[in-house]
Amino acid sequence: MESEDDVVKKTRTMEARARSISHNVRCTECGSQSIEDSQADIAILLRKLIRDEIQSGRTDKEIYKKLEDDFGETVLYAPKFDLQTAALWLSPLIVAGGAVGVWAFNKHRKQTNVHIMALNLVRGVSLTPKEKETMLDLLTPPPSEGTTRSWWRRWQGQ
């Protein structure tokens, strides 16, 4: 025979499980609240259903599956990952990747945009050391042709 402490522990454990499940189930009437927070009649009935299922020995997975079968996938706050919900789950990663790509492109463009550097020189804005180095690399003429011929002249046969 179970002692009184065992009964209390078992009751508290079942109650904690019921509350945990209830927090993850959307109220079908309210839509924006969990059935744990809602006082709608359907939420009260669903909480009772969950407690009955727990008392009958069902696992959390079985309870979620029953609720999904009875009320549809939207009753759960965390939809499962499958082909239909892949866009929903992956869209934050795609948006973040796109933002990083745009940021990297703009950063690269700012570092190598010779036209902006030239305009800044005309306007009297001083260049950073990196910009000065880039400008010198671009504006310094190639080495004299006395030692090596350029590819253009070699191609033309001169």
Side-chain angles (χ1 to χ4, degrees), residues 62-148:
E62 292 172 334
I63 296 171
Y64 285 129
K65 181 69 175 150
K66 178 176 176 41
L67 290 169
E68 185 179 350
D69 291 344
D70 292 348
F71 296 99
E73 190 176 323
T74 57
V75 77
L76 303 179
Y77 271 116
K80 62 185 177 200
F81 186 83
D82 60 6
L83 193 57
Q84 290 179 338
T85 60
L88 173 71
W89 284 103
L90 297 177
S91 60
L93 295 175
I94 293 169
V95 169
V100 167
V102 167
W103 173 80
F105 175 75
N106 284 336
K107 185 174 180 179
H108 173 72
R109 200 174 84 197
K110 283 181 183 177
Q111 289 177 349
T112 59
N113 197 339
V114 178
H115 305 296
I116 292 176
M117 288 187 266
L119 282 173
N120 284 342
L121 279 175
V122 170
R123 291 179 186 147
V125 178
S126 60
L127 297 176
T128 65
K130 176 73 175 159
E131 290 173 333
K132 286 179 186 176
E133 183 181 322
T134 303
M135 289 293 279
L136 285 175
D137 287 343
L138 292 171
L139 298 176
T140 304
S144 65
E145 294 184 25
T147 56
T148 59

Side-chain angles (χ1 to χ4, degrees), residues 34-72:
S34 69
I35 61 170
E36 185 65 28
D37 300 329
S38 175
Q39 292 304 314
D41 291 339
I42 187 73
I44 295 168
L45 290 173
L46 285 173
R47 287 195 302 259
K48 181 171 179 357
L49 172 79
I50 289 170
R51 283 173 176 76
D52 292 344
E53 293 290 320
I54 290 172
Q55 284 179 349
S56 66
R58 302 253 197 272
T59 65
D60 291 2
K61 238 180 187 179
E62 292 172 334
I63 296 171
Y64 285 129
K65 181 69 175 150
K66 178 176 176 41
L67 290 169
E68 185 179 350
D69 291 344
D70 292 348
F71 296 99

